[in-house]
Amino acid sequence: MADMTRGERTVQLFAKVISNPEKKFTISDLMTSFEIPESERRNVQRDMRFLSEMDGGRYIAVDTVGRTSYYTSALRNAERLLFPNFENTMLHFVFLKRIANIYPATSEIISQLLERIEKSLPGREQKSLRHLGEELNSKIIFMGTPPDFEEDASEKMRTILQAIHDHRKIDVFYRTASAYKKSTRIPLMIIVYQNEIYVGCESEKVKDATYTLKFRRMVKVQLSKETFVENPKVLEKLRRQVSSGAAFMSEQEPHPEDVEIEFEMNASLYLMENKFNRTMHMRLAKNGKILVKMKADVNQLLVNWVVSFSTAARVIKPASLQTRLKEYGEYLRSIYA
C-alpha cells in the first residue's frame, strides 16, 4: 500500500491488530501486510510505539521477547468491531468515528483513540479529515437501535461508502422472495434503523424518486464504472423521508403529522429502547401513564409500531391514525370473528 500518509498508516496498523485479537504481530508482519517499504520501518516502529503507549497499553499491548516486539489487541470483545478495509483510509477513519456510538461497550475507547490519532496528524491531514467528515457524516444516519452486522458486512460497507464519496453507481446482487437479482443503483446515504442497515438510493427510472435497500439482502456489491451527479434536493427529500419513517414504506414524499399516544407505564422501558424516530419524546402524564409525542408520517410502519404494543397503547391523535387502526381492527374481525 504505497504512499500512505502518517494518519492513514496509523489507522491501518491499529485496525489490523485490533481486528485480529488472537494474533501477535511483529513490525515485519505489519509491514508485509501493507506492503510498506523497508525505508519506512522506523516510521512504523514509531506509530506502533504511539499506539501501544496510549493510556498505558489500553488499546494495543506489546510483549518484548529478546529484541523482538509482539503487538496484540488489548480490547475485550474486539472481534465484534467492524473495521472496513478501506483503500482510502481516511474514509475508514471517518466511518469508525461516525459509528463509534453503536458499540456501547467500546464507544469511549474508539472515540478517544481516533481523537488522539487526529491530534497527532500534520495540519494538512487534519484539514482533509475534517472536510471528509463534514461531507460524509450527514450521509450516515442513525434512527432507533443499533444494527446487527453480518460477518461479511465490512467489504460491502466499504464499497457503498466509497461509491457515495466518489459519486459512483453500484452493481448490487440481492435476494428477492424467489431468486437473486442484479441491478445498478445510485447510493445516496446509509441509514441505521431498528436493528437494520439500509442504503438510501435515488431512482433511475422515476425523476426525483427515492427508495431504500435493506443491507442484509445484498449478497454482493461492486463499484460501477458509471458516475452520477448528486442532487441536493433529492438528498434533502430522502432525509425528510427517513425522519418521518416514510423511507421504509416506499412513500415518495412524507407528510408528517403531530402524533400523540398514551402508553401504560409497563411499556416505558421498551419505548426508551425502541424509539420510533428522532422526534419522539416521552413524559409522565398526570394519570400515571406515559405520553409520547412526535412528528411522523401516518403509514403502515407507524400502524405496525402502535399495534405491537397491543392494549398498552391508545392513540390520542391524529384522527388519520385512529382511522387506520379502526380499519385494521375491522379487517381482523372479519377474518377471525
Side-chain angles (χ1 to χ4, degrees), residues 73-86:
S73 169
L75 297 182
R76 295 180 180 179
N77 299 323
E79 69 279 0
R80 297 180 185 176
L81 300 181
L82 178 67
F83 289 98
N85 184 25
F86 292 127

Side-chain angles (χ1 to χ4, degrees), residues 118-162:
E118 184 174 356
K119 287 181 179 178
S120 75
L121 303 181
R124 186 175 63 180
E125 287 189 46
Q126 289 190 28
K127 185 177 180 180
S128 298
L129 189 59
R130 284 194 295 270
H131 177 73
L132 188 59
E134 291 168 359
E135 181 183 348
L136 277 183
N137 280 345
S138 63
K139 296 179 184 175
I140 305 172
I141 300 179
F142 293 84
M143 293 185 65
T145 55
D148 292 325
F149 284 111
E150 300 168 284
E151 291 182 2
D152 63 343
S154 174
E155 181 62 23
K156 289 187 289 186
M157 186 67 73
R158 179 201 70 79
T159 302
I160 295 167
L161 276 172
Q162 190 75 50

Side-chain angles (χ1 to χ4, degrees), residues 87-330:
E87 294 174 7
N88 179 338
T89 315
M90 288 307 181
L91 272 179
H92 188 158
F93 193 107
V94 170
F95 183 65
L96 278 178
K97 197 168 185 178
R98 183 75 170 108
I99 68 170
N101 289 332
I102 71 174
Y103 302 109
T106 53
S107 62
E108 182 182 357
I109 292 175
I110 294 176
S111 298
Q112 287 182 3
L113 173 79
L114 296 180
E115 182 180 348
R116 291 181 183 221
I117 291 178
E118 184 174 356
K119 287 181 179 178
S120 75
L121 303 181
R124 186 175 63 180
E125 287 189 46
Q126 289 190 28
K127 185 177 180 180
S128 298
L129 189 59
R130 284 194 295 270
H131 177 73
L132 188 59
E134 291 168 359
E135 181 183 348
L136 277 183
N137 280 345
S138 63
K139 296 179 184 175
I140 305 172
I141 300 179
F142 293 84
M143 293 185 65
T145 55
D148 292 325
F149 284 111
E150 300 168 284
E151 291 182 2
D152 63 343
S154 174
E155 181 62 23
K156 289 187 289 186
M157 186 67 73
R158 179 201 70 79
T159 302
I160 295 167
L161 276 172
Q162 190 75 50
I164 292 173
H165 176 255
D166 294 344
H167 295 163
R168 287 175 62 180
K169 298 180 183 180
I170 52 176
D171 294 324
V172 181
F173 299 80
Y174 63 100
R175 299 183 186 92
T176 65
S178 58
Y180 289 100
K181 288 189 176 182
K182 176 189 174 183
S183 63
T184 300
R185 312 282 183 158
I186 301 175
L188 299 180
M189 64 177 62
I190 290 171
I191 306 157
V192 181
Y193 179 74
Q194 298 295 356
N195 267 15
E196 293 285 357
I197 300 176
Y198 297 83
V199 180
C201 301
E202 180 178 356
S203 173
E204 288 195 283
K205 297 179 180 179
V206 182
K207 181 177 173 56
D208 296 340
T210 60
Y211 59 91
T212 55
L213 286 175
K214 188 173 285 188
F215 185 78
R216 68 170 68 243
R217 290 179 184 166
M218 296 180 177
V219 179
K220 187 178 180 181
V221 182
Q222 296 176 334
L223 284 174
S224 169
K225 293 181 180 179
E226 296 182 64
T227 60
F228 66 90
V229 178
E230 188 176 274
N231 187 333
K233 291 184 178 179
V234 175
L235 263 177
E236 184 55 34
K237 174 184 174 181
L238 183 53
R239 289 195 184 96
R240 293 197 304 270
Q241 289 175 305
V242 171
S243 179
S244 69
F248 311 101
M249 300 302 293
S250 300
E251 298 288 345
Q252 287 309 310
E253 187 61 50
H255 302 284
E257 299 183 52
D258 290 319
V259 176
E260 289 188 20
I261 308 174
E262 190 177 75
F263 290 88
E264 298 294 333
M265 179 60 73
N266 58 16
S268 60
L269 185 59
Y270 186 83
L271 285 167
M272 286 188 287
E273 294 174 345
N274 298 275
K275 289 189 174 184
F276 184 78
N277 66 31
R278 286 193 176 274
T279 68
M280 174 178 150
H281 60 275
M282 306 161 48
R283 70 174 177 83
L284 182 63
K286 292 182 179 179
N287 61 4
K289 297 186 178 182
I290 303 295
L291 182 64
V292 167
K293 293 184 178 182
M294 61 181 155
K295 286 270 191 182
D297 197 56
V298 177
N299 55 28
Q300 193 60 44
L301 186 70
L302 179 58
V303 171
N304 293 345
W305 186 75
V306 174
V307 169
S308 71
F309 289 90
S310 185
T311 57
R314 183 178 71 87
V315 173
I316 299 174
K317 68 176 189 181
S320 57
L321 179 55
Q322 293 175 335
T323 298
R324 292 194 64 152
L325 288 166
K326 288 177 185 177
E327 291 172 349
Y328 182 58
E330 290 167 0

Side-chain angles (χ1 to χ4, degrees), residues 40-71:
E40 295 289 315
R41 178 174 288 272
R42 287 196 175 185
N43 289 332
V44 177
Q45 291 173 329
R46 180 200 61 198
D47 293 339
M48 292 309 299
R49 191 182 312 117
F50 164 73
L51 291 170
S52 62
E53 289 178 354
M54 284 197 305
D55 287 353
R58 185 181 181 187
Y59 312 111
I60 290 179
V62 58
D63 182 29
T64 302
V65 179
R67 300 182 63 180
T68 304
S69 296
Y70 295 90
Y71 298 90

